[in-house]
Amino acid sequence: MSASFPLRVGVVHYLNAWPLAWGLWHPERLRAAGRAAGEVAAEDLSPAALADRLRAGTLDVGLLPTIELQRIPGLSIVPGLGIAATEEVRSVLLVSHCAPREIGSVAVDENSRTSVALLRLVLAERHGVSPRFFPAAPRVEEMLDAHDAALVIGDPALHVDRARYRVTDLAAEWKALTGLPFVFAVWAVAPSCRHPRVADLLTASYESGRADLERIVVEASDASGLSAEVMRTYFTANLRYELGLSELAGIAEFHRRAARHDLTPGLAEVPLWRPPSPA
């Protein structure tokens, strides 16, 4: 199969993806760096929709929630890049008025299936409970009116009033449970993709975001209503975009525990992506 042009890329529509996707959204940056920006067609999608599109074969590459690596056959991981947290992430939260061990029902924003799986693991293994989960819109007050707790992810989680609620950061819980960083999303490549420059284009996009970080901070502050200081800390301290061996170990451990709790169909090895051999 010949290489497909342009490369069809799905990006999650949260602030945390901005540094990774910056060059994809600003193709003049890629052209200035000598990369052919016309090779990429990027779409903003919810994490769940992105996973469904990769499964259907209508995307070549997606910034995929890591649980989906075990649910969609044949994917590979672009090395070195993703969305991870080594301590608190601030944007994946369990919000409640009671202690985690007292939770009987949870309203969940199911846009990110990885966060739902992570919450199930944390509640079972850290707190010894297996509450019922109910899908809900990400409106904290309404979620807590009907349930003991709420899973809030992405941009809405950054606005949670921590003085008003009991807040449990799930990345910090994972670190306490395993000693490893948690990886929320990676660039995943569909098995049908034969484009030879996947890693080069995605790396160039991130390099553009890293170089333009202060502009990203300002624009994210304007978009979110949060201060520039909060956004700068979020991008530079809460989140990690460059993945190494400890992050790969975190993904593998997450997959092992998810399989043990029957949250995935099984446990498959997910290879790192390599450029296709010339025909």
Side-chain angles (χ1 to χ4, degrees):
M1 185 183 299
S2 62
S4 61
F5 297 95
L7 184 70
R8 301 168 299 173
V9 181
V11 181
V12 289
H13 62 185
Y14 292 135
L15 294 169
N16 61 12
W18 284 24
L20 287 174
W22 194 249
L24 305 180
W25 295 332
H26 297 84
E28 70 278 5
R29 301 314 198 267
L30 298 187
R31 284 192 292 269
R35 270 74 172 227
E39 293 182 35
V40 179
E43 295 183 60
D44 293 349
L45 300 164
S46 74
L50 190 153
D52 292 341
R53 291 279 303 278
L54 266 179
R55 185 190 301 275
T58 58
L59 289 176
D60 299 310
V61 182
L63 191 54
L64 186 74
T66 49
I67 193 69
E68 302 292 350
L69 294 167
Q70 291 293 327
R71 295 174 176 171
I72 303 174
L75 299 177
S76 55
I77 300 172
V78 177
L81 294 175
I83 299 175
T86 57
E87 300 291 344
E88 287 193 356
V89 70
R90 290 187 61 85
S91 55
V92 181
L93 305 177
L94 177 66
V95 182
S96 66
H97 292 298
C98 61
R101 66 179 179 277
E102 299 169 348
I103 293 171
S105 68
V106 185
V108 298
D109 177 349
E110 290 194 313
N111 269 314
S112 176
R113 297 159 186 171
T114 285
S115 298
V116 173
L118 175 59
L119 178 56
R120 289 188 182 276
L121 291 179
V122 163
L123 288 177
E125 298 192 13
R126 285 273 287 163
H127 304 287
V129 295
S130 298
R132 298 178 66 191
F133 282 42
F134 299 88
R139 294 188 286 270
V140 175
E141 288 189 20
E142 295 177 17
M143 296 166 96
L144 293 179
D145 280 345
H147 301 284
D148 298 324
L151 172 64
V152 188
I153 67 170
D155 303 352
L158 295 172
H159 290 273
V160 168
D161 184 351
R162 291 171 175 252
R164 183 176 180 184
Y165 304 108
R166 182 172 188 140
V167 174
T168 302
D169 187 291
L170 295 190
E173 289 284 288
W174 173 260
K175 181 65 176 290
L177 180 65
T178 67
L180 293 167
F182 191 82
V183 181
F184 290 93
V186 294
W187 287 118
V189 184
S192 60
C193 177
R194 304 297 297 170
H195 198 295
R197 301 183 61 229
V198 170
D200 178 56
L201 290 165
L202 297 177
T203 299
S205 178
Y206 170 63
E207 289 173 351
S208 173
R210 188 171 55 186
D212 269 358
L213 183 61
E214 282 307 306
R215 178 178 168 186
I216 291 175
V217 165
V218 171
E219 293 193 13
S221 175
D222 290 342
S224 66
L226 297 166
S227 72
E229 181 181 357
V230 166
M231 295 313 308
R232 187 177 296 105
T233 300
Y234 182 55
F235 290 130
T236 62
N238 297 122
L239 298 174
R240 174 178 290 183
Y241 295 103
E242 299 176 25
L243 309 186
L245 293 178
S246 60
E247 285 75 26
L248 291 177
I251 294 172
E253 183 64 18
F254 177 49
H255 287 167
R256 281 193 291 270
R257 291 177 188 248
R260 194 167 68 210
H261 286 266
D262 297 321
L263 300 177
T264 61
L267 182 60
E269 182 178 355
V270 184
L272 298 179
W273 179 84
R274 290 180 174 81
S277 300

